[in-house]
Amino acid sequence: MITLKLNGQDHQLDVTEDMPLLWAIRDVAGYNGTKFGCGMGLCGACTIHIDGLPARSCITPIGSVIGQNVSTIDNLHADPVGQVVQQAWLDSAVAQCGFCQGGQIMSATALLKTNPNPSDEQIEEAMVGNICRCGTYNRIKTAIRQASTHLKEAKA
């Protein structure tokens, strides 16, 4: 048994330490918001947070996150910055097919938590590796800028 701190709760999972975190999250713990994309950590669809930092769950063995906090898109509504990012995504009509958007939103949220006022270059750097087959990159950048503005206004 492995204890995984997932979305603020301890989960006892009967898995091996080398199981990819993605499958432990989806198939064993039952959180299906995190998507399988490429399986090689290249597309970003499976992005989660490990202690607040973005990580690719398809290539992260569950044994490497024991004792750390793992958060998925399924629980982002409980995060104040995540709420702002999700609303900006809706306001900017970012999603088309939507498959990659969970990973995009997780990466954007991690960025804004560490840098609430990123430059365009910093946004591009933080989002590299999150692939959108629909090509909504301009809307993604617009949504991140909008979320940043909202966070600054809320702080003032």
Side-chain angles (χ1 to χ4, degrees):
M1 284 296 218
I2 291 177
T3 300
L4 178 64
K5 185 159 186 129
L6 179 59
N7 294 329
Q9 298 179 351
D10 285 341
H11 293 267
Q12 296 293 319
L13 306 178
D14 188 11
V15 298
T16 62
E17 288 192 10
D18 63 343
M19 177 183 236
L21 188 53
L22 172 67
W23 302 120
I25 290 168
R26 288 183 60 81
D27 293 349
V28 182
Y31 292 90
N32 61 8
T34 304
K35 302 299 182 205
F36 173 78
C38 67
M40 298 182 289
L42 303 172
C43 74
C46 69
T47 302
I48 47 109
H49 293 169
I50 299 172
D51 285 340
L53 299 174
R56 306 298 195 245
S57 62
C58 71
I59 58 170
T60 303
I62 191 171
S64 71
V65 300
I66 294 171
Q68 296 177 294
N69 294 308
V70 176
S71 302
T72 70
I73 189 77
D74 303 282
N75 199 45
L76 202 60
H77 65 278
D79 180 304
V81 176
Q83 291 172 7
V84 170
V85 172
Q86 288 176 318
Q87 188 59 54
W89 242 250
L90 292 171
D91 293 345
S92 298
V94 172
Q96 284 187 23
C97 84
F99 193 81
C100 71
Q101 296 307 308
Q104 301 276 3
I105 289 170
M106 293 299 284
S107 291
T109 300
L111 166 65
L112 292 174
K113 287 180 122 181
T114 59
N115 181 358
N117 190 26
S119 66
D120 284 349
E121 184 178 285
Q122 291 167 323
I123 292 171
E124 290 168 10
E125 183 178 309
M127 300 304 291
V128 74
N130 285 87
I131 298 171
C132 175
R133 292 183 65 160
C134 301
T136 64
Y137 299 110
N138 289 332
R139 286 187 273 176
I140 289 168
K141 195 183 293 184
T142 297
I144 293 171
R145 282 191 216 112
Q146 178 185 338
S148 173
T149 298
H150 182 81
L151 290 168
K152 283 186 283 190
E153 291 170 353
K155 207 172 203 184

